[in-house]
Structures are given as C-alpha cells and as structure tokens.
Amino acid sequence: PDVTQTATIPPVKHLPDAQTVTDVKHWTDRLFSFRVTRPQSLRFRSGEFVMIGLMGDNGKPLLRAYSIASPAWDEELEFYSIKVPDGPLTSKLQHIGVGDEIILRPKPVGTLVIDALLPGKRVWFLATGTGIAPFASLMREPETYEKFEEVVMMHTCRTVAELEYGKELVESLKDDPLIGELVGDKLKYYPTATREEFHHRGRITDNLMSGKVFEDLGIAPMDAEHDRAMVCGSLAFNKDVMAVLEHYGLREGANSEPREYVVEKAFVGDGI
Ligand code: FAD
Ligand code: A2P
C-alpha cells in the first residue's frame, strides 16, 4: 500500500474493538471490498450488519453501518464499500491497506435474515449498488439452500463495471469446496445494467412487473404462496420494489413477525 496514504490513518490498536485488514480489492473508482480479522466472540446471522469505522481526527471513533458480506461460517469478515468522495468515513476508509486496523463494534443486527421469512419454495434477493453486500453473505450461507429450492439474485447497477463484484462472487460459488455442491443449480443470477449496453438491461422493478425476468430465466411468475423476498437498495428503490412485491401479494415481515418479504436500506440519503 501507498505509505503516504496509510500513514494518514491513525492506529487504533489501543481500542478493544480493533481488527486487522487482511485483503483489499478495488473494483471501480467508487467501489472496493476488504476483509478483516474476525473477533473470536463475534456471532452473527448471515445478512446482518455491524458498525465499523476509523478513529476520527477528533480522537473519537467515526462509525458507519456496514452489512457483513461474508457468511456466518467464514473465519474472516468481508465488507463491500462505496467510496463517497467527501464522505466523512469512506474518504479515508478507501485508503486502507493490508495490516491497517479498523474499528468493528461486535453487535450484529438487521432484518435481512432467513428467520424473518416464512418458509417458502423460492427466495428473491433484490439489490441495487452496494445493496448486494448482505446477499454476498446469504448466497454463501448453507441455510439459504437448505430452506429454499430456488434462489434468484437480481442485482442492478448503472454500469457493467459496478456488477463485477457480484459476478465474480457468483462464479466462485460453483467451485466453492464448502457450499458449491449445496448451491448446485439452485442459484439463478440476473444482473442488469441500466445505463450501459449489457445482455440484461433495466430496473428490477420493471423486469419484475413486465415478467421479463421470469421469461429470461424460464421460471414461474412470482406468487405469494411460494415466493419470499429480501430487498436492499436506496430508499427510492426499496419503496418501489415493495409496491411490486405487494402487487404480487407478498407482505412485509420482520424478525419478530416473519412474513413473505423483508427490507433494509443499503444507505441513508439520496446516493452519490
Ligand atoms: P456518509 O456521510 O455516511 O454518506 C454521504 C452520502 O453518500 C449519503 O447521504 C448518501 O447520499 C451517499 N452514500 C452513502 N453510502 C452509500 C452507498 N453505500 N451507496 C451509494 N451512496 C451512498 N455502505 C456500504 O458501502 N456498504 C455496506 O455494506 C453498507 N451497509 C449499510 C447498512 C445499513 C443498515 C446502513 C444504514 C448503511 C449502510 N451503508 C453501507 C452506508 C454506510 O453506513 C455509509 O453511509 C457509507 O459508508 C458512507 O460513509 P461516509 O461517512 O463516507 O459518508
Ligand atoms: P436507473 O439508472 O434507471 O436510475 P442509483 O445509483 O441512483 O442508486 O441507482 C442504482 C441502480 O438502481 C440504477 O441501475 C438505477 O436505475 C436503479 N434504481 C434507482 N432508483 C430506482 C427505483 N426507484 N426503482 C428501481 N430501480 C432504481
């Protein structure tokens, strides 16, 4: 890593919640992923999020919510992050390198967990942008394939390059020694780009309403008896997808009251 960049990140070793960065990969000028050591005591359910961050210039921790992108069985933790040019955290976090430390508060929470859904035959993972992070965890979670016969991952971004993290992850599952066999051909991947040429185009909402995704994948249309869904994207996306799911008869659930679908914001604000 660039020494001038990493040197600007103060060490947090003296904090009880420090974890060490083990890997960093930059996908575009706006997106990167990284892995950190996992606190031995940390238990979480695939799909949950935690607070992570760095020491701020004022000596106080600067923390933000992040979905854990790795599954519950992984010995490390993976995160998939936006780079907001003037974002208080990510303007710094984007410069982390292997060996640097971040702060991780070991209190996982969230609604995107299998337990919050009623049993069903098929589960839909619906995400835009970094909203794929919780599904990067759930696509690698054995329970997903034990509880559902079919899994459909729809991910939409403006450009093709922004889909690459999800694409490589899905491709790696086939040969994964731990869950490759379990995944088999149960996982159907439907990435779309909205502002560039690509073999699949358009918004998730439009492809669900028109039935194009059912046709392209050769699968049955959505129905409330068999289908379950999890949604993670911008506020506008979540709102519009919820209307589509309600149109098909699915109802929003929660940890305390499992139903046909659950929703979580991928971030707060209008997006960059
Ligand atoms: P902030 O001041 O936090 O954000 C500045 C502005 O940037 C926001 O108002 C918004 O307009 C935009 N923005 C922030 N995050 C995003 C994003 N992810 N995609 C597009 N625009 C964005 N971020 C991730 O990168 N990966 C995650 O896995 C992730 N999980 C989250 C889970 C939850 C439950 C919530 C509430 C947020 C999550 N976020 C995630 C967003 C994250 O908490 C921060 O907002 C983000 O890291 C930017 O921090 P910042 O301090 O640089 O800028
Ligand atoms: P589009 O290019 O048609 O706006 P953003 O970067 O604005 O958060 O968008 C990320 C992806 O989500 C884009 O492909 C965008 O499509 C799509 N998107 C944004 N808002 C919505 C919405 N309300 N419903 C469905 N898709 C959306």
Side-chain angles (χ1 to χ4, degrees), residues 38 42 44-47 68 70-75 137 140-141:
R38 176 173 176 172
L42 178 68
F44 69 97
R45 294 183 290 174
S46 293
I68 302 174
S70 48
W73 53 262
D74 199 330
E75 61 188 26
S137 174
R140 294 185 266 191
E141 168 58 56

Side-chain angles (χ1 to χ4, degrees), residues 30 128-129 156-158 194-195 203-205 234 236-237 240 267 270 272:
R30 290 179 20 149
T128 56
T156 296
C157 295
R158 295 181 181 200
T194 50
R195 305 201 188 185
R203 291 181 162 201
I204 287 172
T205 40
S234 64
F237 169 76
D240 289 348
F267 59 89
D270 295 333
I272 58 167

Side-chain angles (χ1 to χ4, degrees), residues 63-136:
L63 301 171
R64 292 286 184 270
Y66 269 82
S67 295
I68 302 174
S70 48
W73 53 262
D74 199 330
E75 61 188 26
E76 290 182 341
L77 298 174
E78 182 174 313
F79 297 98
Y80 180 53
S81 181
I82 192 83
K83 304 174 196 177
V84 182
D86 51 1
L89 178 64
T90 57
S91 61
K92 289 185 174 175
L93 191 68
Q94 62 178 287
H95 298 301
I96 52 168
V98 173
D100 286 339
E101 289 182 330
I102 65 156
I103 302 166
L104 187 147
R105 295 273 190 255
K107 292 191 185 66
V109 286
T111 53
L112 300 180
V113 291
I114 302 278
D115 287 349
L117 295 176
L118 291 171
K121 282 194 175 164
R122 184 167 65 179
V123 66
W124 294 78
F125 294 156
L126 309 174
T128 56
T130 60
I132 196 173
F135 306 126

Side-chain angles (χ1 to χ4, degrees), residues 122 124 150 188 190 211-221:
R122 184 167 65 179
W124 294 78
E150 199 170 38
K188 306 245 176 344
Y190 196 86
K212 187 169 192 310
V213 59
F214 314 134
E215 281 167 35
D216 285 351
L217 293 176
I219 58 176

